[in-house]
Structure formats: structure tokens, C-alpha cells
Amino acid sequence: MIDNIILEAVRDFLVQNVSPKIKLQVPYDDDITKYRLMHPNVFIGWLPPPNALDDAQFDVDGIKKAIPAMVIGMDEGEDDGNDADIDVRITFITYNPGLYAPAEEDPEEIVFTPNFQGYRDLLNLIFICRQQLSSVVRIGDGRTSINKPFRWGMYQQQPVGYWAGWLTFRATAVTLPYMGIPGSLFEIG
């Protein structure tokens, strides 16, 4: 229960305070030489599940795309009787394969040049997230506190055309039975 409240508070915060601050590349389905820009979606889980598009907040020209995305998960938790803490891991996924351009000899032929600069989009998204989370002490109607330090990095394996990284931090919520949540099994009063 507490874990879900923390993860949902982080998701809502990212949707409101991080996603609107950046647009990232999304490939056209029918033409890999072009891309569009879109705000990143936010999901709870480990990987965007097959039905993730049902929960996608943003779209391009009315078509929902799972990536770019921030996926919120939990590494582990701890409850000492006074506070419940979880280690939150946000996985960031961006798209930026490189450049497609007409060949010099034959303008009808398209040449792909990997630019290996997609990591910049990824690091910009992680920075915006850190910056926004650092600007607040509590989120989720004051029930969840964001605790430093922040740790971040890039995954060792990068799928071609996509870039993936992570950010971890600790989040705390008051433990039950002290948190009365209207409509929940643990509502007090």
C-alpha cells in the first residue's frame, strides 16, 4: 500500500513537472528517415508493458507511443516502524539513432550516419528530473518525501537507436496505521 502510494506520487510529479519541460524524438512508423517530437510518457513498472499505451499520457498526431518514457520502479524497501522507505529507480528511455540524409552521389539514396549523440537527450532528461525533484521536499499531497542523494547513470547495453539510463533515490512515507487514506482498507476514523 505505502509502496504504491510512493510510486504513484512520483509518477504524478513527473507527469506534471518533468514531462512538459522537454520534447524528445519519436520515429515515424512508416519512414525511418524522419522523426517527430513528443513529451516523454511516465509509467510504473520495469519495462513499458504491452498494454502501456493504454496509460500513455502523451501522443504524436493522435498516435500514442511508449517511448520516450520514464519508467518508475522500486529496488527495495525498509520499514523501521516509524517510516517506510523505498529505493526508487526511474529508468529513462529515449530515441535518437543518428542522421539520415540523401547520398551525395545519388540524392534518391538515403545514407544513415550514426551520430552517437543520443546520450545527450538522455542526460538532459535525467538532469531535468533531478532538478525538479531537488526543488521540492514533499510530493503527493505531502505524504511522500524525496531524500537525497541522487545517483544516476547509463546502462551498459544500449539498444541500437535507443538510449537508456537510470536515476535512483530514496523516498519516505509515514507508515500505517498513521496514514489515513480515504477509501482505502486502512482508512482511519
Side-chain angles (χ1 to χ4, degrees), residues 101-117:
E104 290 181 20
E105 305 83 35
D106 180 7
E108 295 292 318
E109 181 183 340
I110 301 295
V111 175
F112 172 66
T113 307
N115 65 8
F116 303 107
Q117 298 297 308

Side-chain angles (χ1 to χ4, degrees), residues 81-177:
N82 293 318
D83 292 317
D85 295 347
I86 66 172
D87 293 326
V88 175
R89 175 177 295 267
I90 304 172
T91 298
F92 301 87
I93 308 161
T94 62
Y95 171 80
N96 187 336
L99 305 173
Y100 290 90
E104 290 181 20
E105 305 83 35
D106 180 7
E108 295 292 318
E109 181 183 340
I110 301 295
V111 175
F112 172 66
T113 307
N115 65 8
F116 303 107
Q117 298 297 308
Y119 75 92
R120 293 175 182 267
D121 294 338
L122 177 66
L123 293 179
N124 285 336
L125 180 56
I126 293 172
F127 172 77
I128 291 169
C129 188
R130 284 188 2 247
Q131 181 184 50
Q132 292 302 306
L133 286 168
S134 292
S135 71
V136 297
V137 176
R138 294 194 175 276
I139 61 173
D141 298 327
R143 293 187 193 143
T144 300
S145 67
I146 302 300
N147 306 316
K148 294 176 184 172
F150 294 120
R151 299 179 61 89
W152 65 94
M154 294 176 65
Y155 290 106
Q156 295 294 322
Q157 300 286 327
Q158 297 291 332
V160 175
Y162 294 88
W163 297 84
W166 52 269
L167 169 73
T168 60
F169 57 91
R170 202 133 173 99
T172 307
V174 177
T175 58
L176 296 173

Side-chain angles (χ1 to χ4, degrees), residues 22-128:
I22 190 169
K23 284 189 172 186
L24 298 163
Q25 292 184 19
V26 179
Y28 274 88
D29 288 336
D30 56 350
D31 187 350
I32 62 170
T33 65
K34 297 180 182 177
Y35 66 88
R36 295 171 279 192
L37 297 176
M38 179 179 111
H39 296 290
N41 283 300
V42 183
F43 303 104
I44 295 176
W46 281 109
L47 296 171
N51 63 345
L53 294 182
D54 296 341
D55 298 329
Q57 298 89 16
F58 300 101
D59 62 58
V60 177
D61 301 329
I63 299 170
K64 291 186 175 186
K65 298 284 189 176
I67 296 174
M70 294 176 275
V71 184
I72 305 158
M74 178 186 127
D75 281 345
E76 59 185 24
E78 180 179 24
D79 188 337
D80 66 7
N82 293 318
D83 292 317
D85 295 347
I86 66 172
D87 293 326
V88 175
R89 175 177 295 267
I90 304 172
T91 298
F92 301 87
I93 308 161
T94 62
Y95 171 80
N96 187 336
L99 305 173
Y100 290 90
E104 290 181 20
E105 305 83 35
D106 180 7
E108 295 292 318
E109 181 183 340
I110 301 295
V111 175
F112 172 66
T113 307
N115 65 8
F116 303 107
Q117 298 297 308
Y119 75 92
R120 293 175 182 267
D121 294 338
L122 177 66
L123 293 179
N124 285 336
L125 180 56
I126 293 172
F127 172 77
I128 291 169

